[in-house]
Amino acid sequence: MRAQTLRLDDGVSEAAKIGASVAAACREESRQAAAVFISGKTPEAQAEFLKNTREDEAELATRVVNHTRATKS
């Protein structure tokens, strides 16, 4: 996420907006990691996990953006 933040952050846009872009750019890697966690779970549990993961990704990516900005100053 840090590499994507460095690539995508213009330094002036709202952190959450950049965070959403970072999360989207990392989606394939996140999908692969999630597949490991949901293996063998019920379809309902898989769907719930994936829904929560997407929400968590955007929040985490926004934190990465804020941290990256703070450490660049």
Side-chain angles (χ1 to χ4, degrees):
M1 285 187 169
R2 181 165 166 78
Q4 290 297 344
T5 295
L6 292 170
R7 185 175 75 81
L8 297 170
D9 190 14
D10 62 7
V12 294
S13 296
E14 187 177 320
K17 180 179 177 183
I18 301 300
S21 296
V22 168
C26 296
R27 185 111 334 118
E28 181 58 26
E29 291 89 348
S30 296
R31 187 196 64 75
Q32 291 173 7
V36 172
F37 290 106
I38 63 175
S39 177
K41 306 284 187 209
T42 66
E44 295 81 12
Q46 290 179 4
E48 183 68 18
F49 180 85
L50 292 174
K51 175 184 172 281
N52 292 336
T53 299
R54 284 190 196 98
E55 293 169 0
D56 292 345
E57 286 170 357
E59 183 181 325
L60 174 59
T62 299
R63 289 196 318 252
V64 171
V65 170
N66 285 324
H67 181 266
T68 301
R69 286 179 176 180
T71 58
K72 285 175 76 175
S73 308

